Amino acid sequence: MALHYMTVLGTGDYKPCSYVDLDEKTGKIKECCETPYIQTAVFSMFCKDFTADDRVTVFVTSGARKKHGDILMADFSKLSEKTGVCPKISFIDIEEGLSSEDQWKNFNTMYDQITAGEQVTVDITHGFRTIPMQMFAILNYAKTLKSITVNGIYYGVFEQPFGMKEDKYISYRELEERYIVSERPKKYSEEVTLHYPVVNYTGYDTITTLGNAAFMFSQTGDAGAIYDITKENKSRLYRTGADCDAGGNTEERKRDFGALYSLGEDLKNITESIKCTRGKNHTDGNSKVNAEKSIYQAVCKYMKNEKKLAAKDVSGENEAKAIKNIIDFIDNTIDECFGDVRDVPEDMINIVTGLCTIKWCQKYGLVQAGFTALEETVISYIYTLLGSDFIGELMGKPACNKAENPEDMKKDKKSDSERSRREFIGRIVTEYDKLSQNNSTEPTEEYLKVSEKLREYEPIRLFVLVSGVKQARNDMNHFGFSTDQRKSADLKRDLDRFFCEFEELAGMRRS
């Protein structure tokens, strides 16, 4: 993957100084670069993997190019001679950015310099006025449109040096209080060596990534981006743990990020199982397999793990806390749509899961999945009202999975399954459609017995409901290639209407 270093050249007076990569936790200098130009200092310390095929882009106003362009190019040349690496260096003109028009020109200029798929490192130290802010926006924009990776965003703090005296770290505040003398400009004791830290602001890029993931979820109900972030954070923590003994890649941090990753995986399982309409409860595998095959199991696993994380204090780890904020935000939606699955009787799990899933689909515009969930949930409801044994008797079958002879049960397993009994309910609804269209057709004995069994539950309204839902679902399942092609807006309204009617029929309408 191509590497690209982007920096901005200003018009100020660049003075020789010692820029350093400082370990804030230990106060030790990891690397130092003596130069007037932060542009070459950042490249020297943070772009070590660059080759002759990689790029350096320096954005310059006309004044900056005239005052410093040739000198900076010479500084890059010296660095290349020292390292043996000479990347392609381009000076690109930009406006000062005082007007809205200039800002848009700069946006287009900077964005056009970015190539799809490359890894970008940025120095924003001498960006004029709004340019650093604009650079953040451009990087965020390009991450989506050009699939770039942001390796680092750096700022050289020339205004606030720190000191070193006999290998002792002296903060800027302590310099001001104890080592400053009366002359102006400021002079510090000759015993103190001044260094200028280069600060890593890549955390702001992480924040925008988290914000984008939260926005994606809020608009689509898709937690895939959240999962990707928790997975990458966990992987990075374990990859770099040996290099961070002084700061805190401790076992506790690993547990915190591991817990966040587990929740991210749980959220992914919920949203993917909804998109793939995994509405039937599944208990035949381990908890991980069940959560990948069942909305209900995925939600229960999430709720269990979220309760554990809620008791943990991650406030000491900034990135973990930022991720947890998003999970807390999502948890409100989970609770809003799936709160009813808590303590559900076993025979009601599929019905309640279906109702909760339909709410989710309505919230996020998943119309086709919503119709699929609604039809199958109404059938589950009718199935529960009739009872498996009653349906089996009408079908001429023994009680489901209760055949006396094991060989007979094995032989009839396919024909005597829950699926076949649900299909029987579908045939009853189809018979209703035929009866309603042809008054001369006589109802079958099975139809009459089902209607009688459902008498107190308004069977005709249930049959009409299933029939209407089935027609709409059929139109979508066949990609609109049906005799009853409907408008998208009508399908969305029909989902809301049919769902309200089912809640009313089932006595589950919320006030």
Side-chain angles (χ1 to χ4, degrees):
M1 190 177 289
L3 302 177
H4 187 184
Y5 172 51
M6 299 167 61
T7 183
V8 184
L9 182 62
T11 57
D13 293 326
Y14 287 84
K15 298 178 180 179
C17 64
S18 172
Y19 285 110
V20 296
D21 179 14
L22 178 70
D23 188 324
E24 294 180 2
K25 293 184 173 65
T26 64
K28 294 181 179 179
I29 296 173
K30 294 191 284 186
E31 190 168 359
C32 176
C33 183
E34 300 283 348
T35 176
Y37 291 101
I38 183 63
Q39 294 81 5
T40 51
V42 169
F43 183 81
S44 172
M45 291 188 285
F46 303 107
C47 298
K48 297 182 183 300
D49 294 335
F50 275 54
T51 69
D53 294 327
D54 297 316
R55 296 192 297 145
V56 174
T57 300
V58 183
F59 295 106
V60 291
T61 60
S62 58
R65 179 190 282 270
K66 182 178 180 180
K67 186 173 183 178
H68 292 294
D70 292 340
I71 307 172
L72 177 61
M73 190 65 188
D75 209 41
F76 268 114
S77 296
K78 289 179 184 177
L79 184 61
S80 297
E81 290 174 7
K82 180 180 178 181
T83 61
V85 176
C86 185
K88 304 165 188 173
I89 301 175
S90 301
F91 282 72
I92 303 298
D93 291 317
I94 57 174
E95 308 296 331
E96 291 187 347
L98 296 177
S99 67
S100 176
E101 183 179 356
D102 282 356
Q103 290 164 22
W104 277 109
K105 283 182 181 179
N106 287 347
F107 169 83
N108 290 318
T109 298
M110 293 178 177
Y111 178 73
D112 288 345
Q113 289 301 312
I114 298 173
T115 301
E118 63 187 6
Q119 296 183 20
V120 180
T121 301
V122 178
D123 158 49
I124 60 170
T125 307
H126 291 287
F128 184 58
R129 293 189 174 90
T130 61
I131 289 175
M133 186 187 307
Q134 193 169 39
M135 187 70 80
F136 275 111
I138 291 168
L139 292 175
N140 187 41
Y141 187 73
K143 280 194 300 183
T144 299
L145 273 64
K146 294 191 176 183
S147 300
I148 67 166
T149 301
V150 178
N151 281 352
I153 302 172
Y154 298 97
Y155 181 88
V157 188
F158 186 79
E159 300 82 4
Q160 292 189 358
F162 68 91
M164 295 294 291
K165 181 179 179 181
E166 299 176 353
D167 294 329
K168 177 187 175 184
Y169 171 81
I170 305 168
S171 69
Y172 176 71
R173 177 176 295 179
E174 189 176 355
L175 280 175
E176 291 282 86
E177 292 174 351
R178 296 178 55 188
Y179 291 91
I180 192 169
V181 293
S182 58
E183 291 90 339
R184 291 293 185 267
K186 293 179 181 178
K187 293 182 180 179
Y188 298 91
S189 168
E190 293 181 0
E191 299 174 356
V192 177
T193 303
L194 295 183
H195 298 283
Y196 299 82
V198 179
V199 181
N200 187 342
Y201 283 153
T202 314
Y204 289 113
D205 177 68
T206 301
I207 291 170
T208 62
T209 300
L210 290 168
N212 290 340
F215 178 77
M216 180 183 294
F217 176 86
S218 72
Q219 298 299 302
T220 67
D222 188 338
I226 308 280
Y227 167 72
D228 290 341
I229 290 170
T230 60
K231 182 179 179 181
E232 171 57 27
N233 273 273
K234 180 187 175 186
S235 299
R236 187 173 69 245
L237 182 67
Y238 277 75
R239 282 197 309 268
T240 61
D243 300 327
C244 303
D245 295 334
N249 280 346
T250 60
E251 289 304 314
E252 185 175 354
R253 283 190 73 210
K254 289 181 179 180
R255 285 194 296 270
D256 288 347
F257 276 97
L260 289 168
Y261 166 74
S262 294
L263 273 185
E265 185 177 49
D266 292 340
L267 287 170
K268 175 183 70 83
N269 286 335
I270 291 173
T271 58
E272 287 191 354
S273 60
I274 290 173
K275 287 189 292 184
C276 296
T277 58
R278 305 292 84 198
K280 182 181 178 181
N281 188 23
H282 188 275
T283 57
D284 294 340
N286 57 41
S287 61
K288 178 176 173 60
V289 171
N290 292 339
E292 292 175 347
K293 288 188 174 183
S294 162
I295 297 169
Y296 174 76
Q297 293 292 334
V299 170
C300 289
K301 187 170 181 289
Y302 166 82
M303 288 181 171
K304 180 180 179 181
N305 286 334
E306 198 282 329
K307 188 174 181 181
K308 290 180 181 178
L309 184 66
K312 294 177 70 68
D313 179 15
V314 297
S315 59
E317 174 52 56
N318 293 329
E319 198 161 338
K321 188 174 186 299
I323 295 172
K324 188 175 183 300
N325 288 340
I326 294 177
I327 291 176
D328 290 344
F329 164 74
I330 294 175
D331 188 58
N332 293 330
T333 301
I334 301 287
D335 194 60
E336 174 191 340
C337 294
F338 284 97
D340 291 342
V341 304
R342 295 184 178 93
D343 302 319
V344 177
E346 188 173 351
D347 63 340
M348 289 292 291
I349 286 176
N350 290 334
I351 295 173
V352 173
T353 299
L355 291 168
C356 293
T357 300
I358 297 161
K359 292 178 188 175
W360 184 283
C361 292
Q362 288 175 306
K363 183 178 181 68
Y364 294 109
L366 304 175
V367 179
Q368 184 172 13
F371 269 107
T372 299
L374 181 54
E375 180 180 349
E376 297 299 333
T377 302
V378 178
I379 289 176
S380 294
Y381 177 68
I382 296 173
Y383 186 100
T384 300
L385 295 178
L386 294 175
S388 177
D389 291 348
F390 177 81
I391 299 172
E393 289 174 7
L394 294 182
M395 296 171 65
K397 303 290 183 182
C400 190
N401 293 330
K402 293 182 181 178
E404 294 183 5
N405 188 326
E407 290 301 317
D408 291 341
M409 186 170 70
K410 185 176 180 181
K411 185 187 303 181
D412 291 339
K413 187 175 181 181
K414 290 186 178 179
S415 61
D416 191 31
S417 64
E418 179 186 17
R419 182 72 255 168
S420 67
R421 293 172 193 240
R422 293 173 68 88
E423 289 170 351
F424 172 81
I425 295 172
R427 291 197 295 274
I428 295 296
V429 173
T430 300
E431 184 174 346
Y432 163 77
D433 286 340
K434 293 178 180 178
L435 291 170
S436 64
Q437 295 168 15
N438 189 345
N439 293 330
S440 63
T441 303
E442 293 295 323
T444 63
E445 182 179 355
E446 290 84 358
Y447 178 86
L448 292 173
K449 287 183 177 180
V450 168
S451 297
E452 177 60 24
K453 179 81 171 178
L454 295 174
R455 182 164 50 87
E456 63 180 290
Y457 300 103
E458 300 186 71
I460 299 302
R461 285 185 65 189
L462 281 170
F463 297 157
V464 170
L465 175 62
V466 176
S467 178
V469 172
K470 189 184 290 288
Q471 290 172 27
R473 181 184 176 187
N474 185 67
D475 181 27
M476 287 183 286
N477 287 349
H478 290 284
F479 205 49
F481 289 93
S482 62
T483 56
D484 183 27
Q485 189 177 20
R486 308 178 186 199
K487 294 189 295 185
S488 300
D490 291 342
L491 286 166
K492 189 174 186 301
R493 282 194 295 267
D494 285 345
L495 176 61
D496 297 341
R497 177 170 61 86
F498 287 140
F499 181 56
C500 285
E501 186 172 352
F502 175 55
E503 282 193 307
E504 182 179 323
L505 280 169
M508 297 177 180
R509 175 75 65 83
R510 300 292 188 272
S511 58

